[in-house]
Amino acid sequence: MTQPLADVYLDNDAFAERIPHETFTLMRHQAPVHWYDWEYGKGFWCITRYDDVVAVLKDWRTFSSETGATALEDLDPDQIEARKSMLDTDPPKHSSLRAIVNKGFTPRAVAAYEQLLRDLTRQILDESLPRGEFDFVEEVAKQLPIQVLCRILGVPLSDDERLIAWGDKMIGNTDPDLGGLHPASPESAKYRLYPFRSPYAMELYNYGHEIARERREHPTDDLVSKLVMWEDEDGNRLTEQEFDTMFLLLVVAGNETTRQSIAHGMQALMDNPEAMQRLREQPDLMGTATEEIMRYSSPVIHFRRTATSDTELHDVRIREGDKVVTWLVSANYDEQQFPDPLRFDITRKPNNHVTFGRGGPHFCLGAHLAKLETRIMFEELLPRVSAVEPTAPASRMHSNFTNAYKTMPVRVTPA
Ligand code: HEM
């Protein structure tokens, strides 16, 4: 029996076991612009079809990021100002902030990291694989993105575990196991001016200040130096608020997400051993396989926009000020765009997924880097193992924002 629309449930717990694909299929088919009464505040519109998600992300004039792109909560003006990162701006402000960091993430700039990524990946696998049985998230997937990010930002490599812990506690604040502060808890009110209403955002800011102070005195060619030394033609520099939020954005966005594309890629290959074998035999499929891992994993489940004027979509009236949530994971499994969407198909083509956004100004800054990290991980891993199997079910984060594995116990057989 099909679920009635009134029963659509999208709280964090609905994502604890798996993505509730049947809920998104129902909305795509019966109510592509669906009003959701939210338990923690004013409700929001759910956009679930591929074409609509792309249209909303592109149309930043009607669907603005200025009042928050990540938080579903209704922010007061002081919260909006304090928490605003590049992600929460529209052009032209957005274009000038993005121009400061863009150069370091172009396909050309990223291609120059290839050898570094390969060396880091080999080191990670040299340490983990000989153990035979280990947690793939902890020992492998978590390690590569943070080590790369430490080098790009120019923060001490020995701080990687601290950065991971802060990111997990911020992003995983809706999960009971990760030690964060739940954003609906009364105590979080103290941190309402920090991203994710999190005390760990404050700690990360303080840490960023130390690094910034040091780089101002001894600039190098790393990204933190670039941020602290940046000046426009009128002599304006980044304010402390702009530095803090950019630093936090890079640490969180560059670390928590790519970890998940690597972890989901591993899970998908374990669930489809014939695909794992084929990829081992035909490494030239790695390009399409990486895109499919990106679509299938959809590490970010949704992003938010806010309507700047009354508008209509599929004959539904959206009012100025309404929150509009683009469910990327639903668009990535829209059968109108992706035939047999639940099938993991390493040869899928075309594969114009929205995992990194699509067409809008906020298209993921790190998309090329994330793809290269994920591709290199499997290029290096697969020739070294004849099998990878789960030894227990992987555990998932309670979150409707990140499609995240917390643990993934595996056993590997050397090739
Ligand atoms: C698989 C990994 C990743 C996924 C799924 C992902 C996803 C996304 C998405 C969907 C957006 C658009 C947000 C919006 O429309 O409001 C975005 C933006 C962004 N991502 Fe990623 N990302 C990933 C990896 C990375 C990496 C490695 C970095 C590197 C530092 C990064 C940095 C950023 C930044 C800075 C933005 C904001 C861009 C802007 O506002 O113009 N991401 N990401």
Side-chain angles (χ1 to χ4, degrees), residues 57 65 68-70 85-89 94-95 97-98 101-102 105 145 148-149 152-153 223 246 249-262 293-294 297-305 326 328 354-358 360-371 373-374:
L57 293 180
S65 296
T70 49
S85 76
M86 165 169 77
L87 197 63
D88 313 295
T89 57
H94 170 260
S95 325
L97 284 173
R98 176 123 175 176
V101 286
N102 215 18
F105 294 92
V148 174
L149 207 65
I152 292 179
L153 287 169
L223 195 50
M246 181 72 92
L249 173 64
L250 291 166
V251 168
V252 172
N255 157 29
E256 299 283 333
T257 49
T258 317
R259 174 197 310 175
Q260 294 307 333
S261 58
I262 294 171
I293 289 172
M294 290 302 168
S297 62
S298 293
V300 186
I301 296 174
H302 72 256
F303 268 109
R304 165 196 161 178
R305 299 291 188 263
T326 55
L328 305 178
V354 295
T355 292
F356 299 108
R358 181 159 287 276
H362 294 278
F363 179 79
C364 175
L365 179 77
H368 305 294
L369 180 61
K371 283 200 253 186
E373 287 180 21
T374 305

Side-chain angles (χ1 to χ4, degrees), residues 213-231:
R213 207 172 11 251
E214 205 179 285
R215 285 306 180 284
R216 247 178 243 117
E217 285 164 23
H218 307 289
T220 65
D221 59 357
D222 61 37
L223 195 50
V224 170
S225 301
K226 187 173 244 174
L227 294 174
V228 295
M229 301 311 285
W230 177 84
E231 211 178 294

Side-chain angles (χ1 to χ4, degrees), residues 220-343:
T220 65
D221 59 357
D222 61 37
L223 195 50
V224 170
S225 301
K226 187 173 244 174
L227 294 174
V228 295
M229 301 311 285
W230 177 84
E231 211 178 294
D232 69 10
E233 55 268 26
D234 301 321
N236 297 312
R237 297 183 153 231
L238 286 185
T239 63
E240 183 170 298
Q241 192 277 349
E242 285 168 337
F243 174 84
D244 287 346
T245 52
M246 181 72 92
F247 184 73
L248 183 139
L249 173 64
L250 291 166
V251 168
V252 172
N255 157 29
E256 299 283 333
T257 49
T258 317
R259 174 197 310 175
Q260 294 307 333
S261 58
I262 294 171
H264 278 275
M266 191 69 263
Q267 185 65 48
L269 290 169
M270 288 194 289
D271 291 342
N272 297 272
E274 68 300 336
M276 181 147 35
Q277 184 55 22
R278 191 162 174 207
L279 208 46
R280 208 177 274 117
E281 288 163 5
Q282 291 178 261
D284 54 312
L285 290 178
M286 207 53 90
T288 50
T290 304
E291 294 299 341
E292 180 67 344
I293 289 172
M294 290 302 168
R295 179 191 75 87
Y296 203 74
S297 62
S298 293
V300 186
I301 296 174
H302 72 256
F303 268 109
R304 165 196 161 178
R305 299 291 188 263
T306 304
T308 54
S309 56
D310 290 359
T311 184
E312 261 188 29
L313 197 54
H314 296 292
D315 295 328
V316 175
R317 169 62 76 88
I318 297 175
R319 301 210 177 265
E320 179 181 346
D322 284 354
K323 290 179 281 188
V324 176
V325 177
T326 55
W327 293 94
L328 305 178
V329 74
S330 175
N332 273 345
Y333 284 78
D334 184 341
E335 46 291 282
Q336 296 299 317
Q337 181 69 21
F338 303 102
D340 202 359
L342 291 172
R343 189 162 160 252

